[in-house]
Amino acid sequence: MYPKTCAECGGRVHASRDAIPFEIRGESVLVEGVDHGRCNICGEAYLTLAATEQLQQEAVRLLREAHGLLSPQEIRDIRRSLGLSQAAFEAVLGVGAKTVVRWEKGTVFQSVTADRLMRLIRDRPELASTLTSGQLYAAPRGCPDSTGASPARAHG
Ligand SMILES: [Zn+2]
């Protein structure tokens, strides 16, 4: 639980479910409905660890929806439709270890780039094997543009 007395100003801390601002990657979102303690003088919010996790999860959900990104369940469905483990799907997408784990848990949300890549793979599952076969890395060789030229551009 939270303290009865505010550590900042000595004011009384009361139970609250008021909106709490939360920032992710420079974007702020107001999260409502998280039980917490609120100082009646300075407004300082006191959260339990569980409430903090709930706050983050809810902020992630709100921002993901605001950006129209795939939900954790949709990501899991795409991965399972390919018959891939979380680690294998991370290799396909070229993202770090445990990244897909966190997306599927809803603790963080994916970039727009990763989101589009997953939609592309959902619609054209054969791309998953292309992405891990090394073809994409071999094609741009010899191309002076090393800033991420696609094979299509390299040949076109
Ligand atoms: Zn206070």
Side-chain angles (χ1 to χ4, degrees), residues 121-136:
I121 293 169
R122 178 185 62 191
D123 297 340
R124 296 182 56 190
E126 72 276 11
L127 286 174
S129 53
T130 307
L131 288 167
T132 45
S133 66
Q135 291 176 34
L136 286 184

Side-chain angles (χ1 to χ4, degrees), residues 6 8-11 39 41-44:
C6 178
E8 299 296 320
C9 74
C39 173
I41 295 176
C42 74
E44 181 74 14

Side-chain angles (χ1 to χ4, degrees), residues 29 49 59 69 148:
V29 65
L49 184 60
L69 300 173

Side-chain angles (χ1 to χ4, degrees), residues 52-153:
T52 305
E53 284 172 2
Q54 188 194 345
L55 174 66
Q56 180 181 350
Q57 201 115 354
E58 187 63 8
V60 165
R61 188 185 69 78
L62 289 168
L63 284 174
R64 184 176 53 234
E65 283 183 8
H67 290 289
L69 300 173
L70 294 165
S71 71
Q73 185 60 51
E74 288 174 312
I75 294 172
R76 189 175 297 120
D77 288 346
I78 292 169
R79 177 177 63 77
R80 286 187 177 160
S81 74
L82 298 166
L84 295 174
S85 67
Q86 290 173 325
F89 199 35
E90 283 155 4
V92 167
L93 297 171
V95 297
K98 301 293 175 201
T99 301
V100 168
V101 176
R102 289 191 281 263
W103 292 344
E104 292 187 2
K105 269 178 148 177
T107 49
V108 294
F109 61 85
Q110 65 277 20
S111 67
V112 172
T113 308
D115 194 83
R116 289 183 181 170
L117 188 54
M118 286 189 281
R119 288 171 197 268
L120 206 56
I121 293 169
R122 178 185 62 191
D123 297 340
R124 296 182 56 190
E126 72 276 11
L127 286 174
S129 53
T130 307
L131 288 167
T132 45
S133 66
Q135 291 176 34
L136 286 184
Y137 310 109
R141 232 187 344 227
C143 175
D145 178 11
S146 61
T147 58
S150 68
R153 271 170 58 209

